Amino acid sequence: MSLLFSPLTLRGVTLPNRIAVSPMCQYSVDQEDGVPTDWHLVHLGSRAVGGAGLVIAEATAVVPEGRISPQDTGIWNDEQVAAWRRITSFIKAQGSVPGIQLGHAGRKAIGDWVPVAPTTEPFPGGNQPEKITNHTGVVKAFVEGAIRALAAGFEVLEIHAAHGYLLHQYYSPLTNEGSLEERIAVPVEVTAAVRAAVGPEVPVIVRISGTDWVDDGWTADDSVVLATALKAAGADLVDVSSGGNTAQAEIPVGPGYQVPLAEAVRRKADVPTGAVGLITEAKQAEQVLNDGAADLVLLARELLRDPYWPLHAAQQLGVEVRAPRQYARAF
């Protein structure tokens, strides 16, 4: 039996396998209105055709000023919802589960607007942010984005709390003051509010940065505390990435370099995890799951290079899976 090609049930949704398309910004909304385009249909749809069990759309802003760039997708109005429905419908027709990453860039936004953050310190090269003094609007925006995402046909919701974006800015000591418990309060509140809004059957996962990779920054041990609180708030899986909140980090990039962070969170916080970061080979992905380091593997650049990686991985692992009938002669 292959764990990589075994189902994974999160609340009321069962993924057909444990391969996920990691959310990757495409910077392809030329009209700068947050509405996904044909590019997003083909980009996400081809990974569903290729056999990924979970296809997660890019960091999608819950408010206009929450976009990383003006070319990012959004989920703050009905026009965006209608455009996403076409994409989620196609993904589901291929047997994959459509997911979306709900995001807010905070101080890392690079549009022609004033960014907001829990600090007034700009990210290097960015605009000076306006300090958020009341986070109620942040929570409300994520909740409304989650509700619209369900209306758009998404079945798994990921809250983006990594890579130096707004919710990461709240919990990292590099960009916020206070005790650990005080700094994690907003990401945890957002998670609890989204869980309450979407009901008991919808999987809610959270992407975190497992470490800032700098002295005096966020640590792997801190991530265990955060993951424990996120689980209590209703998160079903913690997707463990790293970095992004400083330009000074020296990151030891290499095959599976973030997997130990996911494993530590899984074992110490007793919560399902997703592993991401230069996972490129079928046997490597299988080993991550067999070792108990994670419950789900997320691939990014490798799925850009090969949208049909899951079908090729099945062949390499000796697993029989069905390619789409239109492509059956090739597999």
Side-chain angles (χ1 to χ4, degrees):
M1 289 291 293
S2 165
L3 270 178
L4 189 62
F5 287 93
S6 65
L8 175 64
T9 298
L10 299 171
R11 294 195 182 250
V13 174
T14 297
L15 310 180
N17 59 51
R18 296 176 185 235
I19 303 167
V21 178
S22 192
M24 292 174 277
C25 288
Q26 298 296 293
Y27 307 110
S28 295
V29 180
D30 295 332
Q31 298 300 313
E32 301 187 3
D33 56 4
V35 177
T37 67
D38 285 349
W39 177 266
H40 299 91
L41 171 66
V42 175
H43 165 65
L44 296 169
S46 63
R47 275 83 200 158
V49 170
L54 174 62
V55 178
I56 308 179
E58 65 187 76
T60 299
V62 293
V63 288
E65 64 274 18
R67 289 172 292 174
I68 300 167
S69 82
Q71 289 76 39
D72 287 356
T73 56
I75 193 71
W76 67 77
N77 66 35
D78 292 342
E79 184 182 6
Q80 294 157 356
V81 169
W84 280 120
R85 282 197 194 111
R86 180 183 177 215
I87 297 169
T88 58
S89 177
F90 184 85
I91 291 171
K92 285 186 270 193
Q94 313 315 308
S96 297
V97 174
I100 187 172
Q101 187 181 64
L102 302 172
H104 191 308
R107 71 173 186 159
K108 290 184 79 173
I110 55 173
D112 58 355
W113 56 84
V114 177
V116 296
T119 177
T120 57
E121 184 71 24
F123 190 79
N127 296 325
Q128 183 173 355
E130 178 181 311
K131 186 171 183 177
I132 300 173
T133 57
N134 186 340
H135 66 268
T136 303
V138 172
V139 178
K140 183 173 182 286
F142 273 93
V143 167
E144 291 178 349
I147 292 170
R148 287 195 181 95
L150 296 185
F154 290 103
E155 296 180 346
V156 172
L157 308 180
E158 176 168 273
I159 296 169
H160 197 358
H163 300 165
Y165 299 120
L166 182 62
L167 297 184
H168 183 183
Q169 292 161 28
Y170 269 106
Y171 64 74
S172 171
L174 300 178
T175 42
N176 200 7
E177 299 176 343
S179 67
L180 175 61
E181 289 72 22
E182 290 170 332
R183 287 184 278 108
I184 69 173
V186 172
V188 171
E189 184 176 344
V190 167
T191 302
V194 168
R195 161 56 59 215
V198 302
E201 295 301 305
V202 178
V204 174
I205 65 182
V206 184
R207 172 166 277 191
I208 68 170
S209 278
T211 175
D212 282 331
W213 296 113
V214 295
D215 294 338
D216 301 321
W218 184 256
T219 69
D221 288 340
D222 293 337
S223 290
V224 173
V225 175
L226 173 58
T228 302
L230 292 172
K231 177 185 176 183
D236 303 298
L237 181 143
V238 178
D239 171 9
V240 188
S241 188
S242 70
N245 203 28
T246 174
Q248 309 303 319
E250 294 184 9
I251 303 175
V253 176
Y257 70 103
Q258 294 173 148
V259 172
L261 297 169
E263 183 173 13
V265 166
R266 188 177 190 267
R267 296 191 188 282
K268 295 178 182 179
D270 191 26
V271 62
T273 62
V276 63
L278 293 187
I279 298 172
T280 60
E281 303 292 335
K283 289 183 179 179
Q284 176 194 15
E286 184 75 36
Q287 194 65 50
V288 168
L289 300 176
N290 282 328
D291 288 346
D295 302 86
L296 181 72
V297 293
L298 298 98
L299 280 72
R301 281 171 281 189
E302 188 61 23
L303 279 171
L304 293 182
R305 290 185 283 265
D306 181 8
Y308 310 106
W309 188 92
L311 296 176
H312 294 142
Q315 289 179 320
Q316 293 164 24
L317 295 173
V319 176
E320 184 177 348
V321 296
R322 288 187 178 182
R325 62 175 178 80
Q326 296 92 335
Y327 290 2
R329 74 189 75 179
F331 291 92

